[in-house]
Amino acid sequence: MDLLRFTTAGSVDDGKSTLIGRLLYDSKSIFEDQLEAVEESSRRRGDEHVNLALLTDGLKAEREQGITIDVAYRYFATPKRKFIISDTPGHIQYTRNMVTGASTANLAIILIDARKGVIEQTKRHSFIANLLRIQHVAVCINKMDLVDYDEEVYKKIVKDYESFASRLDNIVDISTIPISALNGDNVVDKSENMPWYQGPSLLYHLENVYVGGEENHVDARFPVQWVIRPQSDEWHDFRGYAGRVAGGVFKPGDDVTVLPSGFNTKLKAIHSTEGELDEAFAPQSVTMTLANEIDISRGDMIVKQNNPPKVSQDIEAMICWFSNKPMASRAKLVLRHTTQEMQAVIRDVKYLVDINTLHKVEGVDSFAMNDIGRITLRTASPVIHDSYRRNRHTGSFILVDPGTNETVAAGMII
């Protein structure tokens, strides 16, 4: 079975946690003792219904306020597919949490309250999904039971959303589904209350959406994580380079280059826990051996000779600022990219993005928490990279404050 990673996004009280709880409950993916604990908690709280949001809202503050604060990950499977869900917060002040949860997603579920329509947070989350190159978006228009399952309300919201989404360039597949997470309409089973809707239920869509072509299998990239030297009698001369393939396909006999040194050699063998492999491709974790003895360490990258990545100390990127402390131009930080780590300085702030209008605000010299914009970085040593649009693994990085070790920003290389 293949794996689908998806994230939920939406404004406060749009029903993200309730939707995930309903998915888990109706697909029989929770244990009886979990359901009993949720029923007991719902009774103690005085809730009218079994509060399925309690399945994902684990923090005490989340349960007290009825909101999502941190990213919650849940796992479930159906006979067709395995799923990893990241339930992300809706508040503006938790935009950084949404960026974190959505960074590895193949699909984004964006919830819209049928009573409110497309609002600022809908646009913000759609923009972030586009920025993170999430190509599939399922727009779930929730709480249809509160507008008497009115088809005209649904059509107006779809028209408004499509008008905004037409300005986003990375989202290639948008599906719209009218649902009621509280009652289960169109979540796992088709709803009898909306006979005018002829599309699939949400779970059917999640089971069948095609996401197999999202890895870059053209540009061969292998960031080295660890050099393996067993020093045993059986493997006395073994020198292997372990890591996860970030792109392309590697086969024994391939002509490869080691960056940043630039030495050329041939790929001797590919080892895995199942033995030697005929080929390795993203996102497999393997160990490679080379025909020649070359000085290679963590942070180096093995690539195909005829298709190298960019190697530069000047990086242009879109970033989301995570820290409570505002970003300052010329700030000195640590950049972590694939398996590389190096000093970096913010040379220039190009512009800030106004999420509501998608306009570029120029003339700014600092970012506040949750701001998104474009900057230029200068690094102490060359960064071996591709653009984020071309490869999510080699085009993304984080910035860390060297004094506090706090992750202050996540970035996507342009």
Side-chain angles (χ1 to χ4, degrees):
M1 284 197 296
D2 63 344
L3 171 69
L4 176 74
R5 296 172 180 267
F6 68 91
T7 183
T8 57
S11 187
V12 182
D13 291 332
D14 277 354
K16 297 179 298 300
S17 298
T18 303
L19 173 62
I20 292 174
R22 174 61 66 182
L23 265 176
L24 296 173
Y25 178 70
D26 284 2
S27 63
K28 308 293 189 291
S29 298
I30 56 174
F31 296 111
E32 284 187 18
D33 58 339
Q34 288 178 298
L35 181 60
E36 287 170 4
V38 168
E39 289 173 343
E40 179 60 30
S41 294
S42 300
R43 276 195 296 272
R44 285 202 306 268
R45 289 159 52 93
D47 295 331
E48 268 186 59
H49 307 273
V50 175
N51 190 345
L52 295 172
L54 299 176
L55 284 167
T56 56
D57 289 341
L59 298 177
K60 185 179 179 183
E62 291 178 323
R63 293 184 174 225
E64 286 175 351
Q65 299 178 58
I67 62 171
T68 302
I69 294 173
D70 201 1
V71 181
Y73 292 95
R74 289 294 178 269
Y75 309 86
F76 77 103
T78 67
K80 286 190 176 181
R81 190 173 248 172
K82 293 185 290 187
F83 301 93
I84 299 178
I85 316 168
S86 61
D87 182 20
T88 59
H91 284 68
I92 292 175
Q93 63 263 42
Y94 300 127
T95 297
R96 56 183 182 173
N97 301 62
M98 193 245 164
V99 170
T100 303
S103 62
T104 58
N106 309 114
L107 178 145
I109 296 176
I110 294 180
L111 269 82
I112 298 176
D113 189 323
R115 299 168 301 172
K116 299 175 183 175
V118 176
I119 59 174
E120 177 189 340
Q121 280 296 78
T122 311
K123 297 177 181 179
R124 174 178 286 265
H125 292 142
S126 300
F127 174 76
I128 292 171
N130 180 72
L131 187 67
L132 292 169
R133 255 186 98 245
I134 299 175
Q135 298 180 22
H136 305 276
V137 169
V139 181
C140 291
I141 297 160
N142 192 22
K143 305 191 180 181
M144 289 298 294
D145 53 310
L146 299 182
V147 294
D148 298 322
Y149 302 102
D150 190 336
E151 183 181 6
E152 293 306 313
V153 172
Y154 168 73
K155 284 183 175 179
K156 182 181 183 306
I157 293 173
V158 169
K159 185 179 178 181
D160 291 345
Y161 184 83
E162 288 178 345
S163 174
F164 171 77
S166 64
R167 298 149 68 190
L168 305 175
D169 55 355
N170 285 326
I171 299 173
V172 296
D173 168 38
I174 297 176
S175 304
T176 55
I177 305 172
I179 66 168
S180 169
L182 185 65
N183 298 330
D185 293 288
N186 285 336
V187 178
V188 171
D189 301 310
K190 288 292 295 292
S191 171
E192 296 178 359
N193 295 311
M194 290 176 277
W196 45 263
Y197 172 69
Q198 300 300 312
S201 68
L202 175 60
L203 183 61
Y204 182 89
H205 177 67
L206 294 175
E207 285 182 328
N208 292 279
V209 65
Y210 177 72
V211 294
E214 295 189 6
E215 291 286 356
N216 182 331
H217 292 306
V218 176
D219 305 318
R221 307 285 185 260
F222 185 73
V224 176
Q225 292 185 20
W226 192 256
V227 181
I228 297 178
R229 292 297 310 276
Q231 302 289 350
S232 65
D233 291 336
E234 185 182 357
W235 301 94
H236 189 269
D237 296 320
F238 185 89
R239 183 192 293 268
Y241 307 101
R244 171 176 279 191
V245 180
V249 179
F250 289 91
K251 296 180 180 179
D254 284 346
D255 293 317
V256 296
T257 300
V258 179
L259 296 174
S261 66
F263 284 111
N264 296 328
T265 184
K266 282 186 179 292
L267 187 56
K268 185 178 176 182
I270 301 170
H271 302 265
S272 74
T273 52
E274 285 81 35
E276 290 197 20
L277 302 177
D278 294 329
E279 63 179 15
F281 50 86
Q284 287 181 307
S285 295
V286 296
T287 299
M288 295 185 181
T289 55
L290 304 178
N292 302 99
E293 294 287 340
I294 300 174
D295 182 16
I296 300 175
S297 57
R298 178 182 172 87
D300 291 353
M301 189 180 290
I302 300 172
V303 303
K304 293 280 185 70
Q305 290 182 11
N306 60 353
N307 187 13
K310 298 173 186 173
V311 182
S312 174
Q313 289 180 256
D314 294 301
I315 303 295
E316 288 225 2
M318 296 292 294
I319 68 162
C320 177
W321 191 253
F322 288 178
S323 178
N324 291 307
K325 189 169 77 171
M327 182 199 79
S329 187
R330 313 301 299 180
K332 294 180 179 178
L333 302 164
V334 173
L335 182 143
R336 291 179 183 163
H337 168 265
T338 62
T339 56
Q340 291 181 290
E341 183 173 308
M342 65 200 69
Q343 299 290 322
V345 63
I346 297 171
R347 287 182 59 186
D348 187 28
V349 179
K350 298 286 188 181
Y351 58 79
L352 181 70
V353 177
D354 184 326
I355 303 293
N356 300 318
T357 63
L358 301 186
H359 289 160
K360 300 170 184 176
V361 182
E362 298 179 342
V364 296
D365 58 3
S366 179
F367 287 177
M369 186 171 70
N370 296 317
D371 280 348
I372 295 171
R374 183 166 175 169
I375 65 166
T376 304
L377 289 163
R378 176 76 175 179
T379 59
S381 55
V383 181
I384 307 162
H385 68 279
D386 297 285
S387 68
Y388 187 82
R389 179 185 287 269
R390 193 164 183 86
N391 190 316
R392 287 174 84 175
H393 304 293
T394 58
S396 59
F397 63 87
I398 60 170
L399 294 173
V400 178
D401 185 322
T404 62
N405 210 32
E406 175 193 10
T407 300
V408 295
M412 291 133 281
I413 299 171
I414 294 169

